[in-house]
Amino acid sequence: GGTVEVRGLSKRYGRTVAVDGLSFTVRPGRVTGLVGPNGAGKSTTMRVIVGLDRPDGGSALIGGVPYRELRRPVCAVGTTLEASAAHPGRSARDHLRWMARAAGLPGRRVAEVLELVGLASAARRAAGGFSLGMRQRLGIAAALLGDPPVLIFDEPVNGLDPEGVRWIRGLLRSLAAEGRAVLVSSHLMSELEGTADHLLVMGRGRLLADTGVRELLAAS
Ligand code: ADP
Ligand code: ADP
């Protein structure tokens, strides 16, 4: 299953306590928003979930196992993959082929994920010339290669134009509707209100609220 369980998670950098005893659950079939001001600990939490950082205490499990033991990778869009910068002349399709091979995944998914993110017609173009929105889509395509049960998006709409924002929202909704667990962060509550089913509000490394969006709107 794609349930993410974060229990008593702590992470410090030197004297800075980035995450302080955090516990929450991200359920399949829903978009869960992680919201809080800059410095609240959102990225650190996501990095620990996907194994890019080790916690000092507590645990983050995906379907009951730590990230490093997963066979299908859970992917963090926004926190990973700047491969297109390293090889600007490489086509979108070749980037994805390369990434599929590196992850031990079949190359036949490449055409499918390019289609899913709306890059099919740009598949042969050099990714180095892509706009921010197109690079974002390429990163998402890479995340979808392994057909992961959980998808984690760190501030995915940052810097996108309104059309890009709408597209990301629709994508998050459809990924959740397919039964995946979707965790998405933002420093703006307004960015998540219309997208998330459930909200986790963070401040100073701690959880301030853990609530369904409908409950929240009904109470305000
Ligand atoms: P339904 O869609 O069946 O009405 P809800 O979305 O209201 O279910 O969720 C049922 C319960 O589970 C609520 O208490 C809700 O707050 C909680 N819940 C839902 N999603 C999450 C989540 N991602 N993390 C933690 N609790 C959640
Ligand atoms: P957010 O994503 O909510 O903006 P972060 O997780 O990036 O928050 O940061 C939480 C705190 O941890 C901040 O005080 C930040 O400066 C600090 N921090 C994050 N990553 C590092 C790092 N690699 N080295 C030192 N401090 C860090």
Side-chain angles (χ1 to χ4, degrees):
T3 302
V4 180
E5 292 173 294
V6 171
R7 294 291 177 266
L9 196 72
S10 295
K11 176 71 187 178
R12 53 175 71 228
Y13 297 101
R15 287 185 181 175
T16 305
V17 179
V19 176
D20 188 9
L22 197 62
S23 299
F24 61 80
T25 302
V26 180
R27 295 172 204 277
R30 298 195 177 117
V31 177
T32 297
L34 184 59
V35 66
N38 288 326
K42 306 181 298 295
S43 291
T44 301
T45 301
M46 290 179 150
R47 292 175 58 83
V48 170
I49 293 172
V50 302
L52 290 170
D53 247 333
R54 284 187 165 274
D56 296 315
S59 61
L61 302 180
I62 297 167
V65 301
Y67 181 82
R68 63 180 178 281
E69 290 172 22
L70 287 182
R71 292 179 57 224
R72 282 188 295 175
V74 172
C75 288
V77 176
T79 59
T80 53
L81 296 169
E82 276 306 315
S84 53
H87 302 278
R90 191 182 274 174
S91 72
R93 195 177 57 178
D94 287 345
H95 270 297
L96 292 172
R97 283 182 176 160
W98 187 86
M99 286 184 272
R101 207 175 315 127
L105 296 165
R108 62 184 144 73
R109 280 273 294 165
V110 167
E112 199 178 325
V113 297
L114 280 166
E115 187 73 41
L116 270 172
V117 302
L119 285 179
S121 63
R124 291 160 195 267
R125 282 173 51 194
F130 279 8
S131 67
L132 176 69
M134 290 171 83
R135 286 205 303 274
Q136 189 76 285
R137 287 175 194 232
L138 185 59
I140 293 168
L144 293 172
L145 278 172
D147 198 16
V150 176
L151 282 152
I152 294 175
F153 296 84
D154 192 2
E155 300 265 4
V157 307
N158 259 7
L160 297 187
D161 60 17
E163 155 62 18
V165 172
R166 266 196 302 279
W167 182 81
I168 292 270
R169 286 192 166 151
L171 179 78
L172 298 183
R173 297 295 327 155
S174 66
L175 292 171
E178 288 166 11
R180 300 176 210 263
V182 177
L183 180 64
V184 53
S185 70
S186 176
H187 57 287
L188 294 174
M189 179 78 91
S190 58
E191 274 179 6
L192 294 175
E193 269 171 5
T195 313
D197 305 293
H198 198 87
L199 280 180
L200 305 166
V201 183
M202 272 190 89
R204 297 174 188 261
R206 298 187 183 201
L207 203 61
L208 304 177
D210 182 342
T211 177
V213 171
R214 264 174 296 149
E215 290 95 314
L216 183 71
L217 294 178
S220 60

